[in-house]
């Protein structure tokens, strides 16, 4: 089947679970309507189908989650643009009035250029993944925007934003929230009468730099080009897979609500951002499903063969995929690593369980021995190993 295409990512995400769940549970409906089958047999067959569904979900969990994450990313990409047309009823005066009613006004820091408005608002979080959300909003109105002025505005915003960190302390936090980070979103609106041509050509790339980690901390510049009636900002959201709202997503939603009153129109807007995708957007869902399963199963088989050939305490570093494989007696594990060339520090995932031949918890004394072996290995490569600590 050639349809649906994975470029219709949201539809494909829904269809995956309809096909998986419906394929096992849908037969129960006609089964219940057949009069000559006894109730006991109906219950037995229904129970067997539910068990089969659970077994399928467990065995294909990695494949299904991989597909869901990739389709979520494609959906974010398809909704992102380098710039958006301003609404027909756009008015700078109305937008500034709307921002003036947001949060509370704060004292501006003595740095040039000073923002026309500096607003702060704290919102208590009901999620366990965050202590709360701090939003800082600044506005600037300029005649002509170039790269030098943009850089000064960005630095001014950062300094003003940092001065407001922790203005309001979160209260009544439970045990998990106390461990969670405080999300900070800084949005700067720049209303420019005109933009220098040289800066306009690479403005989107500049707007996407120095945005913070984008998960818990985000600086999000938004340039309103009044001459061409365009609005530009980093509109590429992070896929949210049930782990709380990312800071950049909160910032993007705030910009869209402020400037567009909701979602901006994508009609006749082909200014897509430049992102390399592993799959063609014209691939069908079924081709994508088959290729993903083949890749996931292939990776698993490849890791098994690799561990079978390795010796005790041997470490293989896959620099391209940023993984290390560690063989320990007749067992093995693989860990994600992040190399930092500047600090010469390598961040290694915390060690919990074996990956080969099957998943089992690792004894604490064995974990310490493995960490020591990994540290010695990376010391030989000129790096200091740092293991992530789970809360």
């Amino acid at each position: 089947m050639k349809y649906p295409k994975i470029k219709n990512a949201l539809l494909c995400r829904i269809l995956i679970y309809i096909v998986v769940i419906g394929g096992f549970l849908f037969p129960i409906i006609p089964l219940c309507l057949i009069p000559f089958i006894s109730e006991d047999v109906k219950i037995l067959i229904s129970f067997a189908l539910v068990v089969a569904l659970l077994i399928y979900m467990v065995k294909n969990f990695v494949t299904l989650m991989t597909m869901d994450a990739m389709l979520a990313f494609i959906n974010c990409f398809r909704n992102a643009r380098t710039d958006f047309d301003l609404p027909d009823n756009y008015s700078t005066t109305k937008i500034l009035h709307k921002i003036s009613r947001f949060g509370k006004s704060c004292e501006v820091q003595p740095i040039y250029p000073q923002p026309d408005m500096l607003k702060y608002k704290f919102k208590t979080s009901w999620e366990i993944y965050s202590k709360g959300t701090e939003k800082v909003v600044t506005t600037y109105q300029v005649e002509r925007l170039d790269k030098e002025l943009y850089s000064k505005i960005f630095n001014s915003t950062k300094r003003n934003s940092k001065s407001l960190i922790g203005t309001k302390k979160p209260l009544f936090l439970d045990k998990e929230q106390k461990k969670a980070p405080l999300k900070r979103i800084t949005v700067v609106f720049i209303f420019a009468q005109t933009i220098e041509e040289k800066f306009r050509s690479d403005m989107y790339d500049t707007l996407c730099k120095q945005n913070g980690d984008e998960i818990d901390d985000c600086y999000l510049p938004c340039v309103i080009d009044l001459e061409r009636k365009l609005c530009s900002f980093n509109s590429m959201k992070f896929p949210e897979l049930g782990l709380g709202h990312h800071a950049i997503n909160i910032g993007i939603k705030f910009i869209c609500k402020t400037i567009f009153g909701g979602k901006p129109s994508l009609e006749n807007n082909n200014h897509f951002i430049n992102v390399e995708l592993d799959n063609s957007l014209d691939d069908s869902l079924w081709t994508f499903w088959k290729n993903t399963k083949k890749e996931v199963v292939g990776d698993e088989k490849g890791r098994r063969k690799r561990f079978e050939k390795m010796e005790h305490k041997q470490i293989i570093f896959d620099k391209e995929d940023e993984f290390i494989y560690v063989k320990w007696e007749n067992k093995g594990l693989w860990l994600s690593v992040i190399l930092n060339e500047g600090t010469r520090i390598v961040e290694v995932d915390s060690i919990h369980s074996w990956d080969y031949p099957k998943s089992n918890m690792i004894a604490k004394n064995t974990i310490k021995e493995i960490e020591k072996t990994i540290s010695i290995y990376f010391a030989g490569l000129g790096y200091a190993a740092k293991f992530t600590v789970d809360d």
Side-chain angles (χ1 to χ4, degrees), residues 47 121 128 187 219 273 283 291 308:
F47 180 74
K121 186 175 182 180
I128 63 171
V187 177
Y219 288 90
I273 63 174
D283 284 348
N291 292 341
E308 287 170 2

Side-chain angles (χ1 to χ4, degrees), residues 7-283:
K7 62 184 178 183
N8 301 312
L10 182 59
L11 173 63
C12 289
R13 290 181 75 185
I14 296 170
L15 272 177
I16 286 172
Y17 293 100
I18 288 177
V19 171
V20 171
I21 297 173
F24 287 96
L25 300 187
F26 180 76
I28 295 176
I29 298 173
L31 177 68
C32 294
L33 299 176
I34 300 175
F36 55 82
I37 297 179
S38 68
E39 291 298 322
D40 292 339
V41 173
K42 289 179 181 179
I43 293 172
L44 186 62
I45 295 175
S46 299
F47 180 74
L49 288 169
V50 172
V51 171
L53 171 63
L54 293 174
I55 293 172
Y56 180 87
M57 295 283 281
V58 171
K59 288 187 68 176
N60 294 274
F61 179 78
V62 176
T63 301
L64 293 171
M65 289 299 100
T66 301
M67 289 171 61
D68 190 58
M70 292 172 71
L71 288 170
F73 177 83
I74 291 172
N75 188 51
C76 292
F77 163 73
R78 292 283 294 171
N79 287 304
R81 299 291 189 274
T82 56
D83 48 55
F84 300 90
D85 293 324
L86 291 174
D88 294 334
N89 62 347
Y90 171 81
S91 167
T92 300
T93 304
K94 288 182 180 179
I95 299 300
L96 291 173
H97 178 66
K98 188 185 293 186
I99 296 171
S100 69
R101 296 167 60 189
F102 174 81
K104 68 172 185 176
S105 298
C106 299
E107 184 179 350
V108 175
Q109 295 296 301
I111 181 174
Y112 175 82
Q114 291 189 334
D116 301 316
M117 279 190 280
L118 175 61
K119 312 291 287 186
Y120 173 89
K121 186 175 182 180
F122 176 84
K123 184 179 179 182
T124 303
S125 174
W126 298 103
E127 301 175 349
I128 63 171
Y129 307 105
S130 169
K131 286 188 178 77
T133 303
E134 278 187 334
K135 284 182 188 172
V136 178
V137 180
T138 62
T139 64
Y140 298 82
Q141 297 183 71
V142 299
E143 286 295 325
R144 184 171 181 271
L145 183 67
D146 56 24
K147 194 164 188 175
E148 182 181 357
L149 179 56
Y150 169 80
S151 180
K152 289 178 180 178
I153 289 174
F154 188 81
N155 291 333
S156 169
T157 296
K158 286 190 75 171
R159 182 166 168 181
N160 278 286
S161 178
K162 287 181 179 178
S163 70
L164 298 174
I165 293 177
T167 298
K168 187 172 181 180
K169 301 293 183 183
L171 303 173
F172 309 113
L173 301 178
D174 61 25
K175 186 177 179 182
E176 293 300 321
Q177 284 181 311
K178 287 179 181 178
K179 299 176 184 177
L182 177 68
K183 293 191 185 296
R184 300 198 77 250
I185 301 99
T186 303
V187 177
V188 49
F189 291 100
I190 306 173
F191 300 87
Q193 294 296 333
T194 183
I195 298 175
E196 183 192 45
E197 284 299 327
K198 186 179 178 182
F199 178 54
R200 182 184 275 123
S201 62
D202 63 350
M203 184 173 68
Y204 182 78
D205 292 334
T206 305
L207 295 178
C208 294
K209 292 178 181 176
Q210 299 178 310
N211 289 150
D213 65 20
E214 300 185 351
I215 297 175
D216 298 319
D217 181 59
C218 175
Y219 288 90
L220 200 57
C222 174
V223 175
I224 294 93
D225 184 347
L226 298 174
E227 181 184 22
R228 296 196 177 185
K229 298 188 182 302
L230 293 174
C231 178
S232 302
F233 58 96
N234 181 2
S235 57
M236 180 65 185
K237 291 184 177 181
F238 270 28
E240 293 184 344
L241 304 171
L243 298 176
H245 298 295
H246 298 309
I248 190 169
N249 294 0
I250 298 172
I252 290 171
K253 185 178 179 181
F254 177 77
I255 290 175
C256 291
K257 186 177 180 181
T258 302
I259 302 296
F260 304 97
K263 291 184 178 180
S265 173
L266 301 179
E267 188 177 357
N268 300 322
N269 188 338
N270 296 318
H271 301 162
F272 290 99
I273 63 174
N274 186 23
V275 174
E276 291 185 10
L277 299 173
D278 294 333
N279 300 86
S280 170
L281 294 178
D282 289 324
D283 284 348

